[in-house]
Amino acid sequence: MGALSINEVRKAYNGTEILKGINLEIEKGELLILVGPSGCGKSTLLSMIAGLDTVTSGEIRIGNRVVNDLSPKDRDIAMVFQSYALYPTMTVRENISFGLEIRKVPKDERVKIVDRVAQTLQIGPLLDRKPSQLSGGQRQRVAMGRAIARNPSLFLFDEPLSNLDAKLRVELRTEIKLLHQRMGTTIVYVTHDQIEAMTLGDKIAVMRAGEVQQFGTPREIYGNPANLFVAGFIGSPSMNFITARIEPLGDGCGVRLEHEAYRYLFPIANGEQALKAWCGKEVIFGIRPEQITHRVESDVGAPHRHTATLPVRLTEPTGPDTLVLVPLNGKEITCRIHPEHARAPGENIELMFDLSKAVYFDPKTELRIA
């Protein structure tokens, strides 16, 4: 039995189904990310796990207990909100210990727990301040400290970093990951930020319109997306999607890529058997920016590596890389190039395509073909 099991969970409001049969399970100590665009149902699902919302049908288990009908206080959970939800008239010390006091934890034990939590989160110097005297990042640490002090079986994080600036989000994201590694806690974490999802999660559930589109490890989700939505949602910059024709090539088949006088037929690297049925038809060819780079002499002739010359439309320096936009099959696609090899707009650039991890989708169903 996992630390959290969600079985065929559905939620409807006034006859409108918001969650459509959710099935997820994580083991003790795992960090599950619920990620997806606004309105996909991830916060509703978190509220149902917390007991703040009811389940229309299905079953939620925390440990070996079905918790559908249990109140939040009986579920052995702690929640961290994006709004911090600190008591403004209490000091940091009082905010962290308040829940312990309600549970009638002896005073000397409360002091030890608060000191331990403060040391873990490095907020010792803040214990006698009130929330109004803290920065956003400090307040979020305190909110996390209050949850940690309870030592629950399950932590729930509801977009805890969304109110912070970009630099602070990165810092606290690292702290949350380190904290999870040190404490081995079980966490369900809601976010709309796919970078947070990839960097924090042991498991990711990508949600859309009340359904889980794909559930797996970050590597599985990134490398083997189940459909067009998952492939486009996970990854920054996002995957290039190119409408392309599959054509016969020798005993197999290839994918046709072209721009004006430049025409290429690259051999299919993966899923050739599945794609043979698509010969003469159009598919959505998906390839990530890092799989299109500058020509590397040592890789010329390597399996699944193919070169193509295309004109540069736009360059976007990012520091360690330069993103180069080039036209292909009537679309602008993004390539990730070493700055030394980038070319100015209007110039031609010789690119190297790595088709070993390219993916193909059905244009109608948007499901993965190969």
Side-chain angles (χ1 to χ4, degrees), residues 19-326:
L19 294 177
K20 306 169 184 176
I22 305 296
N23 291 285
L24 297 170
E25 182 164 341
I26 56 170
E27 300 300 323
K28 185 177 180 180
E30 287 189 321
L31 197 159
L32 167 65
I33 301 286
L34 302 177
V35 66
S38 297
C40 71
K42 57 188 185 295
S43 292
T44 300
L45 180 57
L46 193 77
S47 293
M48 291 162 66
I49 297 169
L52 303 175
D53 206 345
T54 57
V55 176
T56 301
S57 66
E59 182 180 270
I60 297 176
R61 285 180 173 267
I62 297 176
N64 58 3
R65 297 188 304 162
V66 177
V67 299
N68 290 36
D69 300 320
L70 293 182
S71 66
K73 68 182 179 62
D74 296 324
R75 296 194 180 201
D76 194 21
I77 60 167
M79 198 158 181
V80 179
F81 301 91
Q82 68 182 75
S83 60
Y84 320 128
L86 301 175
Y87 298 106
T89 60
M90 294 183 180
T91 64
V92 168
R93 188 189 306 277
E94 291 166 340
N95 264 284
I96 294 173
S97 64
F98 182 69
L100 302 172
E101 190 174 343
I102 294 296
R103 291 162 60 201
K104 309 235 184 289
V105 175
K107 185 176 180 180
D108 57 343
E109 189 176 343
R110 294 203 307 266
V111 170
K112 289 179 183 177
I113 291 172
V114 171
D115 288 344
R116 185 183 71 243
V117 168
Q119 184 177 7
T120 299
L121 293 172
Q122 299 178 350
I123 55 174
L126 309 178
L127 287 175
D128 295 319
R129 298 186 191 179
K130 290 187 176 179
S132 61
Q133 299 171 297
L134 306 177
S135 68
Q138 290 170 336
R139 291 181 197 180
Q140 197 55 278
R141 285 189 184 90
V142 175
M144 288 164 55
R146 184 176 54 189
I148 292 167
R150 290 193 55 194
N151 193 29
S153 60
L154 184 64
F155 288 87
L156 306 178
F157 285 71
D158 187 12
E159 303 204 45
L161 308 183
S162 62
N163 286 342
L164 307 177
D165 63 55
K167 184 174 184 294
L168 197 51
R169 276 204 304 273
V170 173
E171 291 175 2
L172 270 184
R173 191 171 72 212
T174 302
E175 287 191 21
I176 291 171
K177 191 170 183 74
L178 290 171
L179 185 67
H180 177 243
Q181 290 175 352
R182 285 199 302 269
M183 299 183 66
T185 51
T186 308
I187 298 174
V188 180
Y189 187 110
V190 164
T191 182
H192 62 273
D193 186 330
Q194 53 89 18
I195 296 178
E196 273 183 36
M198 289 294 294
T199 54
L200 285 175
D202 296 313
K203 298 280 179 60
I204 299 175
V206 183
M207 297 184 65
R208 181 191 191 189
E211 297 180 311
V212 174
Q213 300 288 303
Q214 190 169 356
F215 176 55
T217 66
R219 179 174 289 186
E220 289 166 348
I221 298 285
Y222 188 81
N224 294 292
N227 56 41
L228 203 63
F229 173 78
V230 174
F233 191 81
I234 299 295
S236 182
S238 59
M239 181 181 283
N240 294 299
F241 296 123
I242 306 165
T243 301
R245 183 174 294 276
I246 302 299
E247 296 184 2
L249 180 61
D251 295 330
C253 52
V255 57
R256 170 70 66 184
L257 302 173
E258 57 190 3
H259 171 68
E260 295 179 352
Y262 302 103
R263 296 179 180 177
Y264 307 97
L265 184 59
F266 292 158
I268 301 295
N270 296 315
E272 189 173 11
Q273 280 302 118
L275 285 163
K276 278 185 178 179
W278 288 81
C279 263
K281 300 176 184 177
E282 287 188 338
V283 300
I284 303 297
F285 169 59
I287 185 166
R288 295 200 180 274
E290 63 268 25
Q291 291 156 10
I292 312 173
T293 185
H294 57 276
R295 177 187 172 103
V296 178
E297 290 300 329
S298 59
D299 288 340
V300 174
H304 316 310
R305 303 287 174 88
H306 307 282
T307 58
T309 300
L310 293 167
V312 174
R313 287 282 174 82
L314 183 71
T315 61
E316 298 178 347
T318 65
D321 301 302
T322 295
L323 302 179
V324 173
L325 272 64
V326 298

